[in-house]
Amino acid sequence: MRALITGGAGQLGTDLMALLGDDARAYTHDELDIASDADVQRAFAETRPDVVINCAAFHNLDVCEREPANAFAINVQAVQRLALQGVPLVHVSTNYVFDGRRPEPYGEDDLPAPRSIYAISKLAGEFAALAYGRGALVVRTAGLYGLSGNASKGGNFVQRMLARARAGTPLSVVEDQTLAPTYTPDLAAAIVEAIQANVTGVLHLTASGVCSWHQFTLSIMSHAGLDVEVTPSRTVVGPGGIDRPLNGVLARPRADALGLTPLRSWDSALEAYMNDAGLAAAGDH
Ligand SMILES: NC(=O)c1ccc[n+]([C@@H]2O[C@H](COP(=O)([O-])OP(=O)(O)OC[C@H]3O[C@@H](n4cnc5c(N)ncnc54)[C@H](OP(=O)(O)O)[C@@H]3O)[C@@H](O)[C@H]2O)c1
């Protein structure tokens, strides 16, 4: 299997590349802009892939609200362009396609109801992959963090919280948004397993278990050995503000029915990340 990976310098792209090695060619944004037809044609001609894994996205939520045309160009039209190349496409999407208003986790067959330009564009991108691609796989995931960081957001959530704590900035984190934050090497392995099993359609792949962003932050501070106060707060969406799902938890009845391996728990994965990234307190192994 030869894979072409877009967004290859991002969190997930880096870990997919690390896993697939010689079986993949990862393109950074500079090397391949998925919004450029010429770039896409050249990359496909160079790589002649058996599968394309699209990790590229326009996913700064605030910028998406201000620049909807760019959000749709990259998260929808460019996905259609990739799907039309006639090579099976794996497209990465998000738990934000659900409104998060109900208490139960959302399964693969539940009805999406996106609440922001980012989420609307990601859902439309799913349809573009499934409608225009032959045998496309859409993988919805949540709260990604990885060793490569996340440049467009000033580092991943863990790095941002640790930086604020070390700078003495008071930490106030929402306790009413729940999810399963997911470590990108775990997601990369789960995606490769799904590709090898020839799965198509929609799959939910996140870490196991559930936490709030507040609980996640407490766990980060605990693994880092930092004794700082983390104040729980409630979500407030002002006029024109971003409406993030309160319940961002994805269930995976379809992934389970297909016999795919569950990802480890969010807390075990966080501990592994803290160790891998050299962020854990001495003795926290
Ligand atoms: N991060 C999360 O918490 C999260 C949660 C759920 C789902 N997802 C989805 O998971 C996927 C991977 O996310 P990630 O966290 O790995 O993102 P990431 O670290 O930001 O990586 C995305 C990469 O895509 C590149 N990119 C942006 N626009 C591009 C374009 N037009 N052509 C080619 N490359 C482009 C970015 O380059 P530049 O930085 O140079 O622009 C970046 O290297 C995305 O589809 C995202 O929507 C993410």
Side-chain angles (χ1 to χ4, degrees):
M1 175 188 74
R2 180 147 180 81
L4 188 164
I5 300 170
T6 67
Q11 303 189 98
L12 179 59
T14 303
D15 287 322
L16 278 164
M17 190 60 207
L19 193 63
L20 290 168
D22 290 343
D23 292 333
R25 165 81 159 91
Y27 287 85
T28 65
H29 192 173
D30 284 346
E31 294 167 333
L32 164 59
D33 179 352
I34 61 170
S36 155
D37 198 45
D39 281 10
V40 170
Q41 299 304 332
R42 183 179 38 75
F44 274 75
E46 275 171 11
T47 306
R48 300 188 176 282
D50 305 308
V51 63
V52 179
I53 311 177
N54 181 31
C55 302
F58 195 73
H59 66 93
N60 182 313
L61 271 73
D62 295 301
V63 181
C64 285
E65 290 297 316
R66 292 197 302 271
E67 300 178 15
N70 284 331
F72 280 88
I74 295 162
N75 295 340
V76 189
Q77 286 158 279
V79 178
Q80 179 202 30
R81 179 176 296 108
L82 294 174
L84 283 170
Q85 303 307 312
V87 173
L89 171 65
V90 179
H91 178 60
V92 184
S93 190
T94 171
N95 57 337
Y96 279 29
V97 299
F98 298 107
D99 65 13
R101 298 290 201 267
R102 72 176 209 196
E104 301 85 19
Y106 291 88
E108 289 97 342
D109 289 335
D110 281 320
L111 189 65
R115 303 280 305 175
S116 63
I117 292 294
Y118 168 68
I120 292 167
S121 70
K122 290 296 286 187
L123 179 61
E126 294 184 3
F127 287 127
L130 296 168
Y132 291 93
R134 277 193 321 212
L137 169 63
V138 167
V139 173
R140 295 190 187 127
T141 189
L144 296 185
Y145 61 97
L147 288 169
S148 83
N150 182 324
S152 72
K153 294 181 178 173
N156 66 38
F157 181 85
V158 183
Q159 293 168 322
R160 293 200 305 276
M161 288 301 121
L162 288 172
R164 281 184 211 170
R166 294 202 166 104
T169 309
L171 294 180
S172 172
V173 183
V174 288
E175 62 173 355
D176 55 356
Q177 291 181 30
T178 54
L179 75 164
T182 300
Y183 186 28
T184 46
D186 294 356
L187 177 60
I191 288 174
V192 170
E193 183 187 4
I195 293 170
Q196 286 169 344
N198 294 315
V199 179
T200 59
V202 178
L203 271 188
H204 286 179
L205 298 175
T206 67
S208 303
V210 178
C211 64
S212 67
W213 284 116
H214 179 255
Q215 287 170 311
F216 190 54
T217 307
L218 290 177
S219 195
I220 293 166
M221 297 305 148
S222 163
H223 288 304
L226 292 177
D227 183 16
V228 293
E229 194 173 339
V230 184
T231 307
S233 65
R234 311 288 294 176
T235 299
V236 178
V237 183
I242 311 283
D243 189 348
R244 293 176 167 81
L246 295 183
N247 175 14
V249 183
L250 298 179
R252 42 172 284 158
R254 181 160 188 260
D256 288 336
L258 289 164
L260 297 172
T261 311
L263 283 71
R264 65 183 147 178
S265 73
W266 66 265
D267 201 28
S268 305
L270 175 62
E271 185 177 5
Y273 166 75
M274 300 285 288
N275 285 317
D276 294 348
L279 296 170
D284 187 65
H285 292 287

